[in-house]
Amino acid sequence: MIYQAHMTVAIDGNQQLRRLKRNEQDMKKATCNIFFKADKYQKLFGGEIEKSIPHNSDSKETCRSNFDAANLSLQAIKKHRVHESGIVGCVCKHNIPLEFTNMYESGERYKYPLSLIKVLVEKYGPRLNCLYDIGCRFSAAVDKYYPQLKDNGSKVAIGVFHAYGHSMECQINNNPRYIDNFGLMDGEGMERLWSTIGNLVRMTRQMSAERRLLTLSHSIAHYKKKHIFNLPTYLRRRQNKAAKILENALKFIYAYNPSLTDDELEEKWICSCKKLFLSLIQMQR
Protein backbone atom coordinates (compact mmCIF):
# COMPACT_ATOMS: atom_id res chain seq x y z
CA MET A 1 0.00 0.00 0.00
CA ILE A 2 1.39 3.41 -1.04
CA TYR A 3 1.20 6.06 1.66
CA GLN A 4 -0.43 9.29 0.49
CA ALA A 5 0.88 12.29 2.38
CA HIS A 6 -1.39 15.08 3.54
CA MET A 7 -1.01 18.62 2.29
CA THR A 8 -0.63 20.94 5.29
CA VAL A 9 -1.62 24.61 5.21
CA ALA A 10 -1.40 27.44 7.72
CA ILE A 11 -4.32 29.91 7.84
CA ASP A 12 -4.27 33.39 9.36
CA GLY A 13 -5.91 36.80 9.05
CA ASN A 14 -4.56 40.34 8.93
CA GLN A 15 -6.80 43.22 9.99
CA GLN A 16 -4.11 45.83 9.28
CA LEU A 17 -4.62 45.47 5.52
CA ARG A 18 -8.01 47.19 5.60
CA ARG A 19 -9.28 49.91 3.26
CA LEU A 20 -11.05 53.11 4.26
CA LYS A 21 -14.25 54.08 2.48
CA ARG A 22 -14.14 57.20 0.34
CA ASN A 23 -17.84 57.82 0.99
CA GLU A 24 -20.97 55.94 2.04
CA GLN A 25 -21.47 54.64 -1.51
CA ASP A 26 -17.99 53.10 -1.68
CA MET A 27 -19.18 49.51 -1.26
CA LYS A 28 -17.94 47.89 -4.48
CA LYS A 29 -16.25 44.50 -4.14
CA ALA A 30 -13.25 44.16 -6.42
CA THR A 31 -12.47 40.77 -7.97
CA CYS A 32 -9.17 39.08 -8.75
CA ASN A 33 -8.63 35.53 -10.01
CA ILE A 34 -4.92 35.33 -9.13
CA PHE A 35 -5.25 34.65 -5.41
CA PHE A 36 -8.71 35.83 -4.32
CA LYS A 37 -10.98 33.16 -5.82
CA ALA A 38 -12.35 32.34 -2.37
CA ASP A 39 -14.23 35.67 -2.26
CA LYS A 40 -17.04 34.22 -4.36
CA TYR A 41 -17.62 31.40 -1.85
CA GLN A 42 -18.20 33.60 1.18
CA LYS A 43 -21.92 33.72 0.49
CA LEU A 44 -22.08 29.94 1.04
CA PHE A 45 -21.17 30.46 4.70
CA GLY A 46 -22.47 33.98 5.38
CA GLY A 47 -25.77 35.51 6.50
CA GLU A 48 -28.12 33.17 8.36
CA ILE A 49 -25.91 30.19 7.51
CA GLU A 50 -23.06 31.74 9.49
CA LYS A 51 -25.18 31.73 12.64
CA SER A 52 -25.52 27.95 12.39
CA ILE A 53 -21.80 27.26 11.95
CA PRO A 54 -20.90 25.05 14.92
CA HIS A 55 -18.17 25.64 17.47
CA ASN A 56 -16.30 22.88 19.26
CA SER A 57 -18.19 23.15 22.56
CA ASP A 58 -15.74 20.91 24.43
CA SER A 59 -12.86 23.13 23.41
CA LYS A 60 -14.78 26.28 24.28
CA GLU A 61 -15.21 25.02 27.85
CA THR A 62 -11.65 23.77 28.35
CA CYS A 63 -9.64 26.31 26.34
CA ARG A 64 -9.19 29.65 28.08
CA SER A 65 -7.24 31.39 25.30
CA ASN A 66 -7.91 35.09 24.88
CA PHE A 67 -8.29 35.00 21.10
CA ASP A 68 -10.62 37.82 20.06
CA ALA A 69 -9.78 38.49 16.42
CA ALA A 70 -13.28 37.34 15.50
CA ASN A 71 -14.85 40.13 17.55
CA LEU A 72 -15.82 43.40 15.92
CA SER A 73 -13.40 45.32 18.09
CA LEU A 74 -12.02 47.65 15.45
CA GLN A 75 -13.15 51.20 16.13
CA ALA A 76 -13.11 51.96 12.41
CA ILE A 77 -15.55 49.12 11.70
CA LYS A 78 -17.93 50.32 14.40
CA LYS A 79 -17.98 53.75 12.80
CA HIS A 80 -18.59 52.20 9.35
CA ARG A 81 -15.44 53.79 8.00
CA VAL A 82 -14.02 50.66 6.32
CA HIS A 83 -15.33 48.26 3.71
CA GLU A 84 -12.54 45.70 3.37
CA SER A 85 -11.50 45.16 6.99
CA GLY A 86 -8.51 42.94 6.19
CA ILE A 87 -7.61 39.69 4.44
CA VAL A 88 -7.38 36.02 5.41
CA GLY A 89 -4.91 33.78 3.62
CA CYS A 90 -3.05 30.48 3.70
CA VAL A 91 0.37 29.10 2.80
CA CYS A 92 1.65 25.55 2.41
CA LYS A 93 4.27 23.96 4.66
CA HIS A 94 7.00 25.47 2.45
CA ASN A 95 5.62 29.01 3.03
CA ILE A 96 4.30 29.28 -0.55
CA PRO A 97 1.13 31.47 -0.72
CA LEU A 98 -1.90 29.54 -1.96
CA GLU A 99 -5.18 31.43 -1.56
CA PHE A 100 -6.65 34.58 0.04
CA THR A 101 -10.00 36.23 0.69
CA ASN A 102 -11.11 39.69 1.76
CA MET A 103 -12.85 40.39 5.06
CA TYR A 104 -15.78 42.78 4.73
CA GLU A 105 -16.77 44.99 7.68
CA SER A 106 -16.06 42.27 10.23
CA GLY A 107 -13.31 40.51 12.12
CA GLU A 108 -12.11 36.97 11.44
CA ARG A 109 -15.34 35.04 10.97
CA TYR A 110 -15.43 31.33 10.22
CA LYS A 111 -16.81 31.98 6.73
CA TYR A 112 -13.42 33.27 5.59
CA PRO A 113 -11.24 30.20 6.34
CA LEU A 114 -14.12 27.95 5.24
CA SER A 115 -14.11 29.73 1.86
CA LEU A 116 -10.35 29.21 1.58
CA ILE A 117 -10.69 25.51 2.34
CA LYS A 118 -13.32 25.12 -0.39
CA VAL A 119 -10.87 26.43 -3.00
CA LEU A 120 -8.08 24.22 -1.66
CA VAL A 121 -10.24 21.07 -1.61
CA GLU A 122 -11.40 21.69 -5.18
CA LYS A 123 -7.82 22.19 -6.35
CA TYR A 124 -5.80 19.74 -4.24
CA GLY A 125 -8.27 17.20 -2.87
CA PRO A 126 -9.50 16.22 0.62
CA ARG A 127 -6.17 15.15 2.15
CA LEU A 128 -5.66 18.53 3.78
CA ASN A 129 -4.35 19.30 7.26
CA CYS A 130 -5.03 22.80 8.58
CA LEU A 131 -3.28 24.93 11.18
CA TYR A 132 -5.30 27.86 12.52
CA ASP A 133 -5.00 30.10 15.59
CA ILE A 134 -8.30 28.79 16.95
CA GLY A 135 -8.15 25.32 15.39
CA CYS A 136 -9.52 23.86 18.63
CA ARG A 137 -12.87 25.61 18.03
CA PHE A 138 -12.75 25.74 14.24
CA SER A 139 -12.50 21.96 13.80
CA ALA A 140 -16.24 21.44 14.37
CA ALA A 141 -17.07 23.78 11.46
CA VAL A 142 -14.65 21.91 9.19
CA ASP A 143 -16.19 18.56 10.17
CA LYS A 144 -19.68 19.85 9.31
CA TYR A 145 -18.98 21.42 5.91
CA TYR A 146 -16.10 19.21 4.77
CA PRO A 147 -16.71 15.70 6.14
CA GLN A 148 -14.53 14.30 3.34
CA LEU A 149 -11.49 15.78 5.11
CA LYS A 150 -12.15 13.78 8.26
CA ASP A 151 -12.92 10.68 6.20
CA ASN A 152 -9.46 10.97 4.63
CA GLY A 153 -7.68 11.37 7.95
CA SER A 154 -7.19 15.14 7.70
CA LYS A 155 -6.86 17.11 10.94
CA VAL A 156 -7.16 20.66 12.25
CA ALA A 157 -4.62 21.90 14.79
CA ILE A 158 -3.15 25.12 16.19
CA GLY A 159 0.10 26.78 15.10
CA VAL A 160 2.97 26.00 17.46
CA PHE A 161 3.49 29.60 18.56
CA HIS A 162 -0.21 30.25 19.21
CA ALA A 163 -0.70 26.87 20.90
CA TYR A 164 1.18 28.10 23.97
CA GLY A 165 -1.49 30.75 24.44
CA HIS A 166 -4.11 28.02 24.89
CA SER A 167 -4.84 26.02 28.01
CA MET A 168 -2.89 22.85 28.83
CA GLU A 169 -5.92 20.68 28.08
CA CYS A 170 -6.12 22.24 24.64
CA GLN A 171 -2.42 21.84 23.94
CA ILE A 172 -2.54 18.10 24.61
CA ASN A 173 -5.01 17.59 21.77
CA ASN A 174 -4.16 20.39 19.33
CA ASN A 175 -0.44 21.15 19.42
CA PRO A 176 0.92 19.84 16.06
CA ARG A 177 4.10 18.65 17.78
CA TYR A 178 1.97 15.87 19.30
CA ILE A 179 -0.12 15.01 16.21
CA ASP A 180 0.85 12.67 13.37
CA ASN A 181 1.45 13.97 9.82
CA PHE A 182 2.35 17.56 10.81
CA GLY A 183 6.10 17.00 10.97
CA LEU A 184 8.15 20.01 12.06
CA MET A 185 5.82 22.61 10.48
CA ASP A 186 5.24 25.44 12.94
CA GLY A 187 2.13 26.89 11.28
CA GLU A 188 3.49 30.46 11.33
CA GLY A 189 4.13 30.85 7.60
CA MET A 190 1.43 33.50 7.25
CA GLU A 191 3.08 35.62 9.94
CA ARG A 192 6.22 35.69 7.79
CA LEU A 193 4.19 36.81 4.78
CA TRP A 194 2.45 39.55 6.78
CA SER A 195 5.85 40.80 7.93
CA THR A 196 7.08 41.00 4.33
CA ILE A 197 4.10 42.93 2.93
CA GLY A 198 3.61 45.05 6.04
CA ASN A 199 4.88 48.11 4.18
CA LEU A 200 1.68 48.01 2.08
CA VAL A 201 -0.61 48.73 5.04
CA ARG A 202 -0.48 52.51 4.86
CA MET A 203 -0.19 52.56 1.07
CA THR A 204 -3.30 50.46 0.34
CA ARG A 205 -5.54 52.00 3.00
CA GLN A 206 -6.49 54.97 0.81
CA MET A 207 -6.61 53.13 -2.53
CA SER A 208 -9.64 52.17 -4.56
CA ALA A 209 -10.85 48.59 -4.12
CA GLU A 210 -9.50 47.50 -7.52
CA ARG A 211 -6.08 49.09 -7.10
CA ARG A 212 -5.72 47.73 -3.56
CA LEU A 213 -6.45 44.19 -4.68
CA LEU A 214 -4.10 44.50 -7.66
CA THR A 215 -1.30 45.78 -5.44
CA LEU A 216 -1.75 43.00 -2.90
CA SER A 217 -1.94 40.33 -5.60
CA HIS A 218 1.27 41.44 -7.32
CA SER A 219 3.12 41.68 -3.98
CA ILE A 220 1.99 38.19 -2.96
CA ALA A 221 2.90 36.84 -6.41
CA HIS A 222 6.42 38.31 -6.05
CA TYR A 223 6.73 36.72 -2.58
CA LYS A 224 5.61 33.38 -4.02
CA LYS A 225 8.04 33.54 -6.95
CA LYS A 226 10.93 34.38 -4.64
CA HIS A 227 10.17 31.48 -2.30
CA ILE A 228 9.79 28.99 -5.15
CA PHE A 229 13.17 30.12 -6.51
CA ASN A 230 14.76 29.56 -3.07
CA LEU A 231 12.89 26.28 -2.45
CA PRO A 232 15.87 23.92 -3.09
CA THR A 233 17.97 25.75 -0.47
CA TYR A 234 15.03 25.80 1.95
CA LEU A 235 14.34 22.06 1.54
CA ARG A 236 18.00 21.15 1.99
CA ARG A 237 18.18 23.22 5.18
CA ARG A 238 15.01 21.65 6.55
CA GLN A 239 16.21 18.15 5.64
CA ASN A 240 19.51 18.70 7.43
CA LYS A 241 17.66 19.98 10.50
CA ALA A 242 15.31 16.97 10.52
CA ALA A 243 18.23 14.56 10.09
CA LYS A 244 20.08 16.17 13.00
CA ILE A 245 17.00 15.92 15.24
CA LEU A 246 16.53 12.26 14.28
CA GLU A 247 20.22 11.49 14.92
CA ASN A 248 20.16 13.05 18.39
CA ALA A 249 16.87 11.31 19.23
CA LEU A 250 18.22 7.89 18.22
CA LYS A 251 21.34 8.39 20.35
CA PHE A 252 19.17 9.18 23.35
CA ILE A 253 16.83 6.23 22.72
CA TYR A 254 19.67 3.70 22.34
CA ALA A 255 21.30 4.99 25.49
CA TYR A 256 17.97 4.66 27.36
CA ASN A 257 16.83 1.23 26.10
CA PRO A 258 18.01 -0.08 22.69
CA SER A 259 15.49 -2.96 22.74
CA LEU A 260 12.42 -0.69 22.57
CA THR A 261 10.22 -1.08 19.49
CA ASP A 262 8.71 1.94 17.74
CA ASP A 263 5.24 1.18 19.17
CA GLU A 264 6.56 0.82 22.71
CA LEU A 265 8.56 4.01 22.40
CA GLU A 266 5.54 5.94 21.10
CA GLU A 267 3.36 4.65 23.94
CA LYS A 268 5.92 5.64 26.59
CA TRP A 269 6.45 9.06 25.02
CA ILE A 270 2.72 9.86 24.85
CA CYS A 271 2.25 8.66 28.42
CA SER A 272 5.10 10.82 29.73
CA CYS A 273 3.82 13.89 27.84
CA LYS A 274 0.32 13.48 29.27
CA LYS A 275 1.68 13.05 32.80
CA LEU A 276 3.71 16.24 32.41
CA PHE A 277 0.74 18.22 31.07
CA LEU A 278 -1.62 16.90 33.74
CA SER A 279 0.82 17.88 36.48
CA LEU A 280 1.05 21.39 35.00
CA ILE A 281 -2.75 21.60 34.82
CA GLN A 282 -3.02 20.67 38.49
CA MET A 283 -0.46 23.35 39.36
CA GLN A 284 -2.49 25.96 37.46
CA ARG A 285 -5.63 25.09 39.38
Side-chain angles (χ1 to χ4, degrees), residues 39 83 179 189 197 224 262 266:
D39 281 358
H83 187 219
I179 305 176
I197 65 174
K224 178 178 181 178
D262 289 345
E266 182 179 5

Side-chain angles (χ1 to χ4, degrees), residues 109-157:
R109 302 290 185 85
Y110 282 178
K111 65 180 179 180
Y112 301 124
L114 287 173
S115 300
L116 293 176
I117 292 174
K118 183 167 181 61
V119 175
L120 297 176
V121 170
E122 289 179 352
K123 190 172 183 178
Y124 302 108
R127 301 183 67 82
L128 182 72
N129 289 330
C130 300
L131 290 164
Y132 189 36
D133 297 351
I134 51 171
C136 52
R137 302 180 188 178
F138 181 60
S139 59
V142 175
D143 291 344
K144 176 179 179 179
Y145 291 101
Y146 302 102
Q148 66 270 38
L149 267 65
K150 188 174 183 180
D151 293 342
N152 282 272
S154 301
K155 301 171 184 176
V156 179

Side-chain angles (χ1 to χ4, degrees), residues 54-253:
H55 302 263
N56 191 330
S57 57
D58 293 336
S59 175
K60 194 170 183 179
E61 292 176 0
T62 59
C63 183
R64 298 182 294 273
S65 61
N66 294 319
F67 184 88
D68 62 352
N71 298 329
L72 300 182
S73 58
L74 294 175
Q75 196 68 19
I77 292 178
K78 291 182 179 180
K79 292 183 178 179
H80 305 289
R81 292 179 53 218
V82 302
H83 187 219
E84 295 92 342
S85 53
I87 62 175
V88 177
C90 61
V91 296
C92 71
K93 66 171 63 178
H94 306 121
N95 297 325
I96 307 297
L98 299 175
E99 185 61 31
F100 295 81
T101 189
N102 283 293
M103 294 187 285
Y104 293 102
E105 300 185 0
S106 71
E108 286 185 45
R109 302 290 185 85
Y110 282 178
K111 65 180 179 180
Y112 301 124
L114 287 173
S115 300
L116 293 176
I117 292 174
K118 183 167 181 61
V119 175
L120 297 176
V121 170
E122 289 179 352
K123 190 172 183 178
Y124 302 108
R127 301 183 67 82
L128 182 72
N129 289 330
C130 300
L131 290 164
Y132 189 36
D133 297 351
I134 51 171
C136 52
R137 302 180 188 178
F138 181 60
S139 59
V142 175
D143 291 344
K144 176 179 179 179
Y145 291 101
Y146 302 102
Q148 66 270 38
L149 267 65
K150 188 174 183 180
D151 293 342
N152 282 272
S154 301
K155 301 171 184 176
V156 179
I158 305 169
V160 172
F161 175 77
H162 287 87
Y164 296 111
H166 292 244
S167 64
M168 287 297 174
E169 295 98 323
C170 186
Q171 290 186 44
I172 293 174
N173 299 314
N174 297 290
N175 191 320
R177 289 291 183 264
Y178 310 124
I179 305 176
D180 290 339
N181 297 325
F182 281 96
L184 295 175
M185 183 178 179
D186 59 12
E188 304 301 330
M190 285 304 302
E191 304 293 346
R192 301 180 182 97
L193 173 59
W194 299 146
S195 177
T196 302
I197 65 174
N199 61 332
L200 300 178
V201 170
R202 184 176 297 181
M203 182 191 308
T204 57
R205 192 158 293 179
Q206 304 289 343
M207 287 182 175
S208 65
E210 294 85 354
R211 187 165 295 178
R212 168 185 172 273
L213 206 59
L214 185 63
T215 301
L216 290 174
S217 297
H218 279 294
S219 298
I220 295 169
H222 174 72
Y223 181 92
K224 178 178 181 178
K225 184 177 180 181
K226 182 177 69 174
H227 275 68
I228 291 176
F229 180 80
N230 293 326
L231 195 57
T233 303
Y234 172 83
L235 291 176
R236 183 171 64 250
R237 184 172 68 249
R238 298 292 293 180
Q239 183 183 31
N240 291 339
K241 180 181 178 181
K244 189 67 176 178
I245 292 174
L246 181 60
E247 180 184 353
N248 292 335
L250 289 175
K251 287 180 180 179
F252 178 81
I253 291 169

